Amino acid sequence: MPSPAALLLLVLLLPPPVRAAESETETGARDLRLETLVPPPEGCTELSAPGDTVHIHYTGSLEDDGRIIDTSLSRDPLQVELGKRQVIPGLEQSLLDMCVGEKRRVIIPPHLAYGKRVPPSIPGDAVLRFEVELVALSRASYWQKVLNKVVPLLCLGLVPALLGLIGCHLYHKASSTRLSKKKMKEEKKNKAKRK
């Protein structure tokens, strides 16, 4: 027979019971929802991936009332380098694995959009709807991908090294004895007199 402490531990480690209706509602509200409006062209082999630069036309609106908050249709396409956090996370995720010519509708929950910190035209914790069309795709070269991964690591290593060198320089400068100009002139005079 298990001890009461073992039973208590077992009860604490078990996940709390969740009703099915609640879990579906929560995950539906927390997940990104994608819908393909215009399928990718036949024979599309170049899918967008992190590091690529995509050119998109988009229209963003509020899911609740359909009010348009921003659109690029009246201007040049927006250029986004995937993986650089240049747009809200939900929009960036929706741009992955797209082909040129494909059009999608994405419903973005607040935690993948602006959350409570929003621009003035958007209410807090708003669910957003974007219609996105991939107009052009620029592949990242091998060296661009390497630089994007290596440069941040180099910076992380160089900053402490530079700070250490500056600290050593300042320490040596502070600990060395320096003669004043007046004393240096006196020493020169004394050397001249000795000769």
Side-chain angles (χ1 to χ4, degrees), residues 103-171:
K103 190 172 184 179
R104 292 180 178 174
R105 178 180 297 132
V106 58
I107 308 297
I108 304 173
H111 71 282
L112 292 174
Y114 295 105
K116 294 183 187 323
R117 298 175 131 178
V118 294
S121 62
I122 302 173
D125 286 329
V127 176
L128 303 179
R129 177 178 56 222
F130 278 86
E131 290 189 6
V132 183
E133 180 182 4
L134 185 60
V135 178
L137 173 67
S138 302
R139 285 269 177 226
S141 71
Y142 171 76
W143 293 109
Q144 286 174 318
K145 289 180 181 178
V146 168
L147 279 176
N148 287 340
K149 290 180 182 179
V150 171
V151 169
L153 295 175
L154 284 176
C155 290
L156 286 174
L158 288 176
V159 168
L162 287 174
L163 289 175
L165 287 172
I166 291 169
C168 283
H169 173 72
L170 292 176
Y171 174 76

Side-chain angles (χ1 to χ4, degrees), residues 1-24:
M1 179 169 177
S3 68
L7 287 174
L8 180 62
L9 182 64
L10 183 62
V11 168
L12 290 175
L13 292 177
L14 287 175
V18 177
R19 288 181 271 168
E22 285 180 1
S23 66
E24 287 174 16

Side-chain angles (χ1 to χ4, degrees), residues 44-64:
C44 173
T45 57
E46 287 194 1
L47 298 173
S48 58
D52 294 343
T53 300
V54 294
H55 302 252
I56 60 168
H57 272 304
Y58 67 92
T59 300
S61 59
L62 298 175
E63 176 69 7
D64 294 339

